[in-house]
């Protein structure tokens, strides 16, 4: 059972480039979320989805897009990378309303 | 405005002693609280949770206490082991919205052998 799988683990982008961070879960969880972790700031919510076809913005959504065409996949798109998006990105899935979130291993992104 | 606060960035404890990690929150709508442990270069892993209808939850060496009137929760680890050395995050959600947890900034625990 793989749980939550994120790819890639590391990525370096130039300012202005675009890319997609992949996230897949095999637990049939309805809820999926993207967080970023920055030094001294904990994890902050970027976007979330409560089911296939349903997404919404979190605390820090600017510069990111998401879509959820299947229950399993929840990709995060950086439209035009900026140095301020240098961070560690975590994808998570949650089973229901009284449940912990299961996290992927993270993607460390550096924008130069 | 930070709704979940962990005011101690770091904590050192001797092996075998108790570790107490603290977390404060400001949003009275929070009704579900969790603690996560995070090792470097790994994702956070779930440790223990507590619902607002309880004031204590135990799982082996880990106990979480919730004081709703003070808007405070704490994680007790007894006895502490070197493998417990990690960053610990508390997180909270409201109204079943477990897709949008609010996290604290973390406390780095170091257990000294």
């Amino acid at each position: 059972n793989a749980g939550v799988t994120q790819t890639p683990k590391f990525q370096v982008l130039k300012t202005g480039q675009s890319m997609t961070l992949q996230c897949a879960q095999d637990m049939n969880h309805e809820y999926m979320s993207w967080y970023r972790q920055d030094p001294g700031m904990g994890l902050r919510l970027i976007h979330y989805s409560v089911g296939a076809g349903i997404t919404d913005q979190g605390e820090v959504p600017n510069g990111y897009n998401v879509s959820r065409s299947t229950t399993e996949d929840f990709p995060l798109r950086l439209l035009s990378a900026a140095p301020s998006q240098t961070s560690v990105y975590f994808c998570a899935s949650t089973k229901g309303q009284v449940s912990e979130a299961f996290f992927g291993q993270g993607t460390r992104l550096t924008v130069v | 405005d930070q709704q979940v606060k962990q005011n101690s960035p770091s904590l050192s404890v001797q092996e075998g002693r108790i570790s107490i990690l603290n977390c404060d929150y400001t949003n009275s709508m929070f009704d579900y609280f969790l603690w996560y442990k995070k090792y470097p270069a790994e994702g956070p892993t779930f440790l223990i949770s507590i619902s607002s209808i309880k004031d204590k939850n135990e799982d082996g060496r880990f106990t979480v206490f919730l004081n709703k009137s003070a808007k405070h929760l704490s994680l007790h680890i007894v006895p502490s082991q070197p493998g417990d050395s990690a960053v610990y995050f508390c997180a909270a959600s409201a109204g079943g919205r477990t897709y949008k947890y609010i996290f604290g900034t973390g406390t780095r625990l170091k257990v000294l052998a």
Side-chain angles (χ1 to χ4, degrees):
Chain A
N1 193 345
V4 179
T5 302
Q6 290 183 237
T7 56
K9 286 189 168 53
F10 302 94
Q11 183 70 49
V12 178
L13 286 180
K14 293 182 178 178
T15 298
Q17 286 185 315
S18 63
M19 80 159 294
T20 299
L21 280 63
Q22 302 292 343
C23 175
Q25 54 98 0
D26 61 0
M27 297 174 283
N28 201 32
H29 287 173
E30 281 300 309
Y31 301 160
M32 294 186 75
S33 308
W34 276 102
Y35 295 85
R36 59 178 287 175
Q37 185 192 6
D38 300 295
M41 300 191 76
L43 282 79
R44 292 182 293 166
L45 181 66
I46 304 171
H47 283 286
Y48 64 90
S49 169
V50 297
I54 307 170
T55 64
D56 207 344
Q57 297 180 354
E59 182 186 358
V60 288
N62 292 339
Y64 308 95
N65 270 355
V66 291
S67 60
R68 183 106 179 265
S69 56
T70 67
T71 299
E72 294 77 22
D73 299 301
F74 190 42
L76 177 73
R77 296 182 189 83
L78 280 71
L79 309 172
S80 176
S84 60
Q85 294 179 303
T86 293
S87 187
V88 181
Y89 292 84
F90 291 102
C91 178
S93 72
T94 313
K95 183 177 181 180
Q97 295 186 348
V98 184
S99 170
E100 70 272 25
F102 293 79
F103 284 86
Q105 296 275 53
T107 296
R108 181 173 293 274
L109 176 69
T110 302
V111 183
V112 297
Chain B
D1 178 30
Q2 202 169 351
Q3 299 184 65
V4 177
K5 301 177 186 178
Q6 294 177 257
N7 291 319
S8 298
S10 63
L11 175 69
S12 290
V13 171
Q14 207 67 31
E15 181 180 6
R17 307 295 289 267
I18 184 171
S19 296
I20 300 177
L21 294 90
N22 294 303
C23 180
D24 297 296
Y25 62 96
T26 57
N27 188 341
S28 59
M29 300 301 291
F30 287 148
D31 55 14
Y32 191 58
F33 304 88
L34 304 89
W35 283 94
Y36 280 87
K37 178 166 75 172
K38 186 183 180 306
Y39 293 120
E42 294 185 10
T45 55
F46 169 73
L47 264 181
I48 192 168
S49 63
I50 188 166
S51 164
S52 60
I53 62 173
K54 295 185 175 182
D55 54 19
K56 178 182 173 181
N57 189 28
E58 285 183 79
D59 185 0
R61 296 187 297 116
F62 303 94
T63 303
V64 56
F65 295 91
L66 176 62
N67 182 333
K68 288 184 291 293
S69 60
K71 294 190 177 68
H72 177 83
L73 66 156
S74 60
L75 174 68
H76 292 209
I77 306 173
V78 183
S80 301
Q81 299 173 354
D84 296 329
S85 297
V87 177
Y88 289 78
F89 292 97
C90 64
S93 70
R97 292 186 288 275
T98 55
Y99 43 82
K100 52 191 310 185
Y101 281 109
I102 307 298
F103 282 81
T105 52
T107 296
R108 183 178 302 277
L109 173 66
K110 187 170 186 179
V111 180
L112 307 170

PDB file of all heavy atoms in Angstrom, chain B residues 49-82:
ATOM      1  N   SER B  49      -4.513  11.967  18.120  1.00  0.00           N
ATOM      2  CA  SER B  49      -5.520  13.008  17.946  1.00  0.00           C
ATOM      3  C   SER B  49      -6.423  13.090  19.165  1.00  0.00           C
ATOM      4  O   SER B  49      -6.424  12.195  20.021  1.00  0.00           O
ATOM      5  CB  SER B  49      -6.373  12.728  16.701  1.00  0.00           C
ATOM      6  OG  SER B  49      -7.084  11.506  16.862  1.00  0.00           O
ATOM      7  N   ILE B  50      -7.200  14.173  19.228  1.00  0.00           N
ATOM      8  CA  ILE B  50      -8.190  14.304  20.283  1.00  0.00           C
ATOM      9  C   ILE B  50      -9.344  15.150  19.776  1.00  0.00           C
ATOM     10  O   ILE B  50      -9.134  16.156  19.081  1.00  0.00           O
ATOM     11  CB  ILE B  50      -7.574  14.902  21.569  1.00  0.00           C
ATOM     12  CG1 ILE B  50      -8.585  14.846  22.724  1.00  0.00           C
ATOM     13  CG2 ILE B  50      -7.081  16.329  21.350  1.00  0.00           C
ATOM     14  CD1 ILE B  50      -7.960  15.085  24.084  1.00  0.00           C
ATOM     15  N   SER B  51     -10.545  14.710  20.093  1.00  0.00           N
ATOM     16  CA  SER B  51     -11.741  15.468  19.761  1.00  0.00           C
ATOM     17  C   SER B  51     -12.058  16.411  20.911  1.00  0.00           C
ATOM     18  O   SER B  51     -11.699  16.154  22.064  1.00  0.00           O
ATOM     19  CB  SER B  51     -12.899  14.499  19.543  1.00  0.00           C
ATOM     20  OG  SER B  51     -14.133  15.166  19.586  1.00  0.00           O
ATOM     21  N   SER B  52     -12.769  17.485  20.607  1.00  0.00           N
ATOM     22  CA  SER B  52     -13.076  18.480  21.643  1.00  0.00           C
ATOM     23  C   SER B  52     -14.046  17.959  22.698  1.00  0.00           C
ATOM     24  O   SER B  52     -14.247  18.609  23.723  1.00  0.00           O
ATOM     25  CB  SER B  52     -13.644  19.744  20.999  1.00  0.00           C
ATOM     26  OG  SER B  52     -14.823  19.449  20.293  1.00  0.00           O
ATOM     27  N   ILE B  53     -14.635  16.790  22.474  1.00  0.00           N
ATOM     28  CA  ILE B  53     -15.537  16.241  23.500  1.00  0.00           C
ATOM     29  C   ILE B  53     -14.760  15.497  24.585  1.00  0.00           C
ATOM     30  O   ILE B  53     -15.330  15.070  25.582  1.00  0.00           O
ATOM     31  CB  ILE B  53     -16.599  15.307  22.883  1.00  0.00           C
ATOM     32  CG1 ILE B  53     -15.945  14.101  22.212  1.00  0.00           C
ATOM     33  CG2 ILE B  53     -17.468  16.071  21.907  1.00  0.00           C
ATOM     34  CD1 ILE B  53     -16.952  13.071  21.729  1.00  0.00           C
ATOM     35  N   LYS B  54     -13.449  15.343  24.375  1.00  0.00           N
ATOM     36  CA  LYS B  54     -12.599  14.676  25.358  1.00  0.00           C
ATOM     37  C   LYS B  54     -11.586  15.658  25.933  1.00  0.00           C
ATOM     38  O   LYS B  54     -11.342  16.722  25.353  1.00  0.00           O
ATOM     39  CB  LYS B  54     -11.853  13.508  24.708  1.00  0.00           C
ATOM     40  CG  LYS B  54     -12.748  12.386  24.220  1.00  0.00           C
ATOM     41  CD  LYS B  54     -11.889  11.239  23.710  1.00  0.00           C
ATOM     42  CE  LYS B  54     -12.738  10.047  23.322  1.00  0.00           C
ATOM     43  NZ  LYS B  54     -11.911   8.907  22.857  1.00  0.00           N
ATOM     44  N   ASP B  55     -10.986  15.292  27.048  1.00  0.00           N
ATOM     45  CA  ASP B  55      -9.893  16.117  27.566  1.00  0.00           C
ATOM     46  C   ASP B  55      -8.575  15.350  27.634  1.00  0.00           C
ATOM     47  O   ASP B  55      -7.530  15.933  27.978  1.00  0.00           O
ATOM     48  CB  ASP B  55     -10.239  16.710  28.935  1.00  0.00           C
ATOM     49  CG  ASP B  55     -10.662  15.646  29.934  1.00  0.00           C
ATOM     50  OD1 ASP B  55     -10.353  14.462  29.715  1.00  0.00           O
ATOM     51  OD2 ASP B  55     -11.312  16.010  30.935  1.00  0.00           O
ATOM     52  N   LYS B  56      -8.599  14.076  27.257  1.00  0.00           N
ATOM     53  CA  LYS B  56      -7.378  13.283  27.306  1.00  0.00           C
ATOM     54  C   LYS B  56      -7.498  12.115  26.337  1.00  0.00           C
ATOM     55  O   LYS B  56      -8.567  11.513  26.191  1.00  0.00           O
ATOM     56  CB  LYS B  56      -7.165  12.768  28.731  1.00  0.00           C
ATOM     57  CG  LYS B  56      -5.964  11.877  28.941  1.00  0.00           C
ATOM     58  CD  LYS B  56      -5.914  11.395  30.398  1.00  0.00           C
ATOM     59  CE  LYS B  56      -4.825  10.374  30.619  1.00  0.00           C
ATOM     60  NZ  LYS B  56      -4.800   9.884  32.025  1.00  0.00           N
ATOM     61  N   ASN B  57      -6.390  11.792  25.694  1.00  0.00           N
ATOM     62  CA  ASN B  57      -6.335  10.610  24.848  1.00  0.00           C
ATOM     63  C   ASN B  57      -4.940  10.018  24.943  1.00  0.00           C
ATOM     64  O   ASN B  57      -3.954  10.736  24.862  1.00  0.00           O
ATOM     65  CB  ASN B  57      -6.678  10.951  23.393  1.00  0.00           C
ATOM     66  CG  ASN B  57      -6.839   9.714  22.533  1.00  0.00           C
ATOM     67  OD1 ASN B  57      -7.201   8.645  23.027  1.00  0.00           O
ATOM     68  ND2 ASN B  57      -6.585   9.841  21.243  1.00  0.00           N
ATOM     69  N   GLU B  58      -4.881   8.692  25.140  1.00  0.00           N
ATOM     70  CA  GLU B  58      -3.594   8.017  25.322  1.00  0.00           C
ATOM     71  C   GLU B  58      -3.365   7.005  24.225  1.00  0.00           C
ATOM     72  O   GLU B  58      -4.300   6.310  23.789  1.00  0.00           O
ATOM     73  CB  GLU B  58      -3.577   7.254  26.660  1.00  0.00           C
ATOM     74  CG  GLU B  58      -3.431   8.094  27.875  1.00  0.00           C
ATOM     75  CD  GLU B  58      -3.364   7.236  29.130  1.00  0.00           C
ATOM     76  OE1 GLU B  58      -2.295   6.679  29.414  1.00  0.00           O
ATOM     77  OE2 GLU B  58      -4.398   7.119  29.816  1.00  0.00           O
ATOM     78  N   ASP B  59      -2.121   6.867  23.817  1.00  0.00           N
ATOM     79  CA  ASP B  59      -1.740   5.817  22.877  1.00  0.00           C
ATOM     80  C   ASP B  59      -0.297   5.441  23.189  1.00  0.00           C
ATOM     81  O   ASP B  59       0.641   6.102  22.752  1.00  0.00           O
ATOM     82  CB  ASP B  59      -1.868   6.307  21.439  1.00  0.00           C
ATOM     83  CG  ASP B  59      -1.585   5.203  20.429  1.00  0.00           C
ATOM     84  OD1 ASP B  59      -1.281   4.055  20.847  1.00  0.00           O
ATOM     85  OD2 ASP B  59      -1.660   5.474  19.216  1.00  0.00           O
ATOM     86  N   GLY B  60      -0.151   4.385  23.981  1.00  0.00           N
ATOM     87  CA  GLY B  60       1.190   3.943  24.349  1.00  0.00           C
ATOM     88  C   GLY B  60       1.930   5.003  25.153  1.00  0.00           C
ATOM     89  O   GLY B  60       1.443   5.452  26.193  1.00  0.00           O
ATOM     90  N   ARG B  61       3.082   5.415  24.665  1.00  0.00           N
ATOM     91  CA  ARG B  61       3.888   6.408  25.388  1.00  0.00           C
ATOM     92  C   ARG B  61       3.385   7.835  25.188  1.00  0.00           C
ATOM     93  O   ARG B  61       3.909   8.769  25.811  1.00  0.00           O
ATOM     94  CB  ARG B  61       5.346   6.324  24.908  1.00  0.00           C
ATOM     95  CG  ARG B  61       6.038   5.007  25.209  1.00  0.00           C
ATOM     96  CD  ARG B  61       7.520   5.060  24.854  1.00  0.00           C
ATOM     97  NE  ARG B  61       7.751   5.265  23.417  1.00  0.00           N
ATOM     98  CZ  ARG B  61       8.334   6.336  22.919  1.00  0.00           C
ATOM     99  NH1 ARG B  61       8.750   7.317  23.701  1.00  0.00           N
ATOM    100  NH2 ARG B  61       8.514   6.431  21.609  1.00  0.00           N
ATOM    101  N   PHE B  62       2.422   8.010  24.325  1.00  0.00           N
ATOM    102  CA  PHE B  62       1.950   9.349  23.954  1.00  0.00           C
ATOM    103  C   PHE B  62       0.580   9.629  24.560  1.00  0.00           C
ATOM    104  O   PHE B  62      -0.336   8.814  24.460  1.00  0.00           O
ATOM    105  CB  PHE B  62       1.877   9.477  22.430  1.00  0.00           C
ATOM    106  CG  PHE B  62       3.182   9.209  21.745  1.00  0.00           C
ATOM    107  CD1 PHE B  62       3.490   7.948  21.266  1.00  0.00           C
ATOM    108  CD2 PHE B  62       4.117  10.214  21.598  1.00  0.00           C
ATOM    109  CE1 PHE B  62       4.702   7.697  20.642  1.00  0.00           C
ATOM    110  CE2 PHE B  62       5.331   9.979  20.965  1.00  0.00           C
ATOM    111  CZ  PHE B  62       5.627   8.715  20.488  1.00  0.00           C
ATOM    112  N   THR B  63       0.459  10.801  25.190  1.00  0.00           N
ATOM    113  CA  THR B  63      -0.817  11.254  25.740  1.00  0.00           C
ATOM    114  C   THR B  63      -1.027  12.699  25.322  1.00  0.00           C
ATOM    115  O   THR B  63      -0.110  13.516  25.442  1.00  0.00           O
ATOM    116  CB  THR B  63      -0.840  11.157  27.275  1.00  0.00           C
ATOM    117  OG1 THR B  63      -0.575   9.807  27.670  1.00  0.00           O
ATOM    118  CG2 THR B  63      -2.197  11.578  27.821  1.00  0.00           C
ATOM    119  N   VAL B  64      -2.225  12.998  24.840  1.00  0.00           N
ATOM    120  CA  VAL B  64      -2.565  14.375  24.516  1.00  0.00           C
ATOM    121  C   VAL B  64      -3.632  14.848  25.500  1.00  0.00           C
ATOM    122  O   VAL B  64      -4.573  14.121  25.801  1.00  0.00           O
ATOM    123  CB  VAL B  64      -3.026  14.529  23.049  1.00  0.00           C
ATOM    124  CG1 VAL B  64      -4.193  13.620  22.722  1.00  0.00           C
ATOM    125  CG2 VAL B  64      -3.352  15.977  22.736  1.00  0.00           C
ATOM    126  N   PHE B  65      -3.436  16.043  26.024  1.00  0.00           N
ATOM    127  CA  PHE B  65      -4.377  16.667  26.949  1.00  0.00           C
ATOM    128  C   PHE B  65      -4.952  17.910  26.277  1.00  0.00           C
ATOM    129  O   PHE B  65      -4.218  18.680  25.635  1.00  0.00           O
ATOM    130  CB  PHE B  65      -3.672  17.088  28.246  1.00  0.00           C
ATOM    131  CG  PHE B  65      -3.136  15.945  29.049  1.00  0.00           C
ATOM    132  CD1 PHE B  65      -1.841  15.486  28.857  1.00  0.00           C
ATOM    133  CD2 PHE B  65      -3.941  15.309  29.998  1.00  0.00           C
ATOM    134  CE1 PHE B  65      -1.339  14.427  29.600  1.00  0.00           C
ATOM    135  CE2 PHE B  65      -3.443  14.257  30.753  1.00  0.00           C
ATOM    136  CZ  PHE B  65      -2.146  13.810  30.545  1.00  0.00           C
ATOM    137  N   LEU B  66      -6.263  18.101  26.446  1.00  0.00           N
ATOM    138  CA  LEU B  66      -6.926  19.273  25.881  1.00  0.00           C
ATOM    139  C   LEU B  66      -7.613  20.055  26.986  1.00  0.00           C
ATOM    140  O   LEU B  66      -8.429  19.494  27.732  1.00  0.00           O
ATOM    141  CB  LEU B  66      -7.957  18.842  24.827  1.00  0.00           C
ATOM    142  CG  LEU B  66      -8.804  19.958  24.212  1.00  0.00           C
ATOM    143  CD1 LEU B  66      -7.932  20.960  23.467  1.00  0.00           C
ATOM    144  CD2 LEU B  66      -9.860  19.363  23.288  1.00  0.00           C
ATOM    145  N   ASN B  67      -7.300  21.335  27.092  1.00  0.00           N
ATOM    146  CA  ASN B  67      -7.948  22.242  28.037  1.00  0.00           C
ATOM    147  C   ASN B  67      -8.698  23.291  27.215  1.00  0.00           C
ATOM    148  O   ASN B  67      -8.107  24.264  26.741  1.00  0.00           O
ATOM    149  CB  ASN B  67      -6.902  22.894  28.940  1.00  0.00           C
ATOM    150  CG  ASN B  67      -7.521  23.806  29.984  1.00  0.00           C
ATOM    151  OD1 ASN B  67      -8.599  24.367  29.789  1.00  0.00           O
ATOM    152  ND2 ASN B  67      -6.836  23.978  31.096  1.00  0.00           N
ATOM    153  N   LYS B  68      -9.990  23.047  27.015  1.00  0.00           N
ATOM    154  CA  LYS B  68     -10.762  23.915  26.122  1.00  0.00           C
ATOM    155  C   LYS B  68     -10.923  25.318  26.679  1.00  0.00           C
ATOM    156  O   LYS B  68     -10.920  26.292  25.921  1.00  0.00           O
ATOM    157  CB  LYS B  68     -12.140  23.295  25.850  1.00  0.00           C
ATOM    158  CG  LYS B  68     -12.062  22.071  24.953  1.00  0.00           C
ATOM    159  CD  LYS B  68     -13.427  21.532  24.606  1.00  0.00           C
ATOM    160  CE  LYS B  68     -14.140  20.916  25.785  1.00  0.00           C
ATOM    161  NZ  LYS B  68     -13.456  19.671  26.256  1.00  0.00           N
ATOM    162  N   SER B  69     -11.061  25.439  27.976  1.00  0.00           N
ATOM    163  CA  SER B  69     -11.258  26.775  28.548  1.00  0.00           C
ATOM    164  C   SER B  69     -10.020  27.631  28.350  1.00  0.00           C
ATOM    165  O   SER B  69     -10.104  28.847  28.144  1.00  0.00           O
ATOM    166  CB  SER B  69     -11.615  26.676  30.033  1.00  0.00           C
ATOM    167  OG  SER B  69     -10.576  26.042  30.750  1.00  0.00           O
ATOM    168  N   ALA B  70      -8.838  26.999  28.388  1.00  0.00           N
ATOM    169  CA  ALA B  70      -7.589  27.743  28.183  1.00  0.00           C
ATOM    170  C   ALA B  70      -7.158  27.746  26.723  1.00  0.00           C
ATOM    171  O   ALA B  70      -6.159  28.386  26.371  1.00  0.00           O
ATOM    172  CB  ALA B  70      -6.480  27.141  29.037  1.00  0.00           C
ATOM    173  N   LYS B  71      -7.880  27.001  25.876  1.00  0.00           N
ATOM    174  CA  LYS B  71      -7.508  26.847  24.463  1.00  0.00           C
ATOM    175  C   LYS B  71      -6.066  26.375  24.359  1.00  0.00           C
ATOM    176  O   LYS B  71      -5.213  27.000  23.684  1.00  0.00           O
ATOM    177  CB  LYS B  71      -7.730  28.137  23.675  1.00  0.00           C
ATOM    178  CG  LYS B  71      -9.194  28.549  23.548  1.00  0.00           C
ATOM    179  CD  LYS B  71      -9.352  29.696  22.550  1.00  0.00           C
ATOM    180  CE  LYS B  71     -10.801  30.066  22.350  1.00  0.00           C
ATOM    181  NZ  LYS B  71     -11.386  30.666  23.551  1.00  0.00           N
ATOM    182  N   HIS B  72      -5.796  25.283  25.037  1.00  0.00           N
ATOM    183  CA  HIS B  72      -4.434  24.778  25.149  1.00  0.00           C
ATOM    184  C   HIS B  72      -4.435  23.262  25.047  1.00  0.00           C
ATOM    185  O   HIS B  72      -5.307  22.587  25.625  1.00  0.00           O
ATOM    186  CB  HIS B  72      -3.841  25.196  26.504  1.00  0.00           C
ATOM    187  CG  HIS B  72      -2.469  24.664  26.752  1.00  0.00           C
ATOM    188  ND1 HIS B  72      -1.338  25.275  26.260  1.00  0.00           N
ATOM    189  CD2 HIS B  72      -2.040  23.566  27.436  1.00  0.00           C
ATOM    190  CE1 HIS B  72      -0.276  24.578  26.632  1.00  0.00           C
ATOM    191  NE2 HIS B  72      -0.676  23.539  27.349  1.00  0.00           N
ATOM    192  N   LEU B  73      -3.488  22.720  24.289  1.00  0.00           N
ATOM    193  CA  LEU B  73      -3.284  21.278  24.310  1.00  0.00           C
ATOM    194  C   LEU B  73      -1.811  20.976  24.476  1.00  0.00           C
ATOM    195  O   LEU B  73      -0.948  21.822  24.163  1.00  0.00           O
ATOM    196  CB  LEU B  73      -3.863  20.581  23.079  1.00  0.00           C
ATOM    197  CG  LEU B  73      -3.304  20.825  21.681  1.00  0.00           C
ATOM    198  CD1 LEU B  73      -3.640  19.620  20.797  1.00  0.00           C
ATOM    199  CD2 LEU B  73      -3.917  22.043  21.070  1.00  0.00           C
ATOM    200  N   SER B  74      -1.549  19.807  25.011  1.00  0.00           N
ATOM    201  CA  SER B  74      -0.169  19.415  25.229  1.00  0.00           C
ATOM    202  C   SER B  74       0.000  17.941  24.866  1.00  0.00           C
ATOM    203  O   SER B  74      -0.941  17.148  24.946  1.00  0.00           O
ATOM    204  CB  SER B  74       0.245  19.660  26.684  1.00  0.00           C
ATOM    205  OG  SER B  74      -0.551  18.917  27.577  1.00  0.00           O
ATOM    206  N   LEU B  75       1.211  17.612  24.468  1.00  0.00           N
ATOM    207  CA  LEU B  75       1.590  16.235  24.147  1.00  0.00           C
ATOM    208  C   LEU B  75       2.644  15.801  25.152  1.00  0.00           C
ATOM    209  O   LEU B  75       3.672  16.465  25.303  1.00  0.00           O
ATOM    210  CB  LEU B  75       2.158  16.150  22.730  1.00  0.00           C
ATOM    211  CG  LEU B  75       2.718  14.794  22.304  1.00  0.00           C
ATOM    212  CD1 LEU B  75       1.589  13.771  22.181  1.00  0.00           C
ATOM    213  CD2 LEU B  75       3.486  14.915  20.989  1.00  0.00           C
ATOM    214  N   HIS B  76       2.369  14.685  25.836  1.00  0.00           N
ATOM    215  CA  HIS B  76       3.314  14.130  26.790  1.00  0.00           C
ATOM    216  C   HIS B  76       3.890  12.844  26.202  1.00  0.00           C
ATOM    217  O   HIS B  76       3.126  11.972  25.745  1.00  0.00           O
ATOM    218  CB  HIS B  76       2.634  13.828  28.128  1.00  0.00           C
ATOM    219  CG  HIS B  76       2.195  15.055  28.855  1.00  0.00           C
ATOM    220  ND1 HIS B  76       2.123  15.090  30.236  1.00  0.00           N
ATOM    221  CD2 HIS B  76       1.823  16.278  28.418  1.00  0.00           C
ATOM    222  CE1 HIS B  76       1.713  16.300  30.614  1.00  0.00           C
ATOM    223  NE2 HIS B  76       1.520  17.030  29.532  1.00  0.00           N
ATOM    224  N   ILE B  77       5.196  12.728  26.249  1.00  0.00           N
ATOM    225  CA  ILE B  77       5.869  11.519  25.782  1.00  0.00           C
ATOM    226  C   ILE B  77       6.629  10.942  26.973  1.00  0.00           C
ATOM    227  O   ILE B  77       7.531  11.590  27.524  1.00  0.00           O
ATOM    228  CB  ILE B  77       6.859  11.829  24.639  1.00  0.00           C
ATOM    229  CG1 ILE B  77       6.157  12.580  23.506  1.00  0.00           C
ATOM    230  CG2 ILE B  77       7.469  10.528  24.100  1.00  0.00           C
ATOM    231  CD1 ILE B  77       7.110  13.061  22.410  1.00  0.00           C
ATOM    232  N   VAL B  78       6.218   9.731  27.382  1.00  0.00           N
ATOM    233  CA  VAL B  78       6.841   9.102  28.549  1.00  0.00           C
ATOM    234  C   VAL B  78       7.021   7.599  28.302  1.00  0.00           C
ATOM    235  O   VAL B  78       6.025   6.930  28.014  1.00  0.00           O
ATOM    236  CB  VAL B  78       5.981   9.284  29.825  1.00  0.00           C
ATOM    237  CG1 VAL B  78       6.703   8.673  31.048  1.00  0.00           C
ATOM    238  CG2 VAL B  78       5.665  10.740  30.072  1.00  0.00           C
ATOM    239  N   PRO B  79       8.239   7.036  28.464  1.00  0.00           N
ATOM    240  CA  PRO B  79       9.492   7.759  28.605  1.00  0.00           C
ATOM    241  C   PRO B  79      10.002   8.225  27.245  1.00  0.00           C
ATOM    242  O   PRO B  79       9.737   7.591  26.223  1.00  0.00           O
ATOM    243  CB  PRO B  79      10.418   6.690  29.194  1.00  0.00           C
ATOM    244  CG  PRO B  79       9.898   5.414  28.603  1.00  0.00           C
ATOM    245  CD  PRO B  79       8.402   5.573  28.478  1.00  0.00           C
ATOM    246  N   SER B  80      10.753   9.283  27.225  1.00  0.00           N
ATOM    247  CA  SER B  80      11.312   9.778  25.966  1.00  0.00           C
ATOM    248  C   SER B  80      12.458   8.877  25.514  1.00  0.00           C
ATOM    249  O   SER B  80      13.242   8.374  26.334  1.00  0.00           O
ATOM    250  CB  SER B  80      11.824  11.211  26.144  1.00  0.00           C
ATOM    251  OG  SER B  80      10.768  12.064  26.561  1.00  0.00           O
ATOM    252  N   GLN B  81      12.551   8.711  24.201  1.00  0.00           N
ATOM    253  CA  GLN B  81      13.594   7.866  23.618  1.00  0.00           C
ATOM    254  C   GLN B  81      14.335   8.675  22.547  1.00  0.00           C
ATOM    255  O   GLN B  81      13.748   9.580  21.936  1.00  0.00           O
ATOM    256  CB  GLN B  81      12.969   6.626  22.976  1.00  0.00           C
ATOM    257  CG  GLN B  81      12.219   5.743  23.956  1.00  0.00           C
ATOM    258  CD  GLN B  81      11.473   4.611  23.274  1.00  0.00           C
ATOM    259  OE1 GLN B  81      11.407   4.536  22.043  1.00  0.00           O
ATOM    260  NE2 GLN B  81      10.903   3.718  24.080  1.00  0.00           N
ATOM    261  N   PRO B  82      15.589   8.334  22.278  1.00  0.00           N
ATOM    262  CA  PRO B  82      16.344   9.092  21.244  1.00  0.00           C
ATOM    263  C   PRO B  82      15.645   9.122  19.893  1.00  0.00           C
ATOM    264  O   PRO B  82      15.730  10.113  19.174  1.00  0.00           O
ATOM    265  CB  PRO B  82      17.676   8.330  21.189  1.00  0.00           C
ATOM    266  CG  PRO B  82      17.844   7.778  22.565  1.00  0.00           C
ATOM    267  CD  PRO B  82      16.443   7.393  23.008  1.00  0.00           C
TER     268      PRO B  82
END
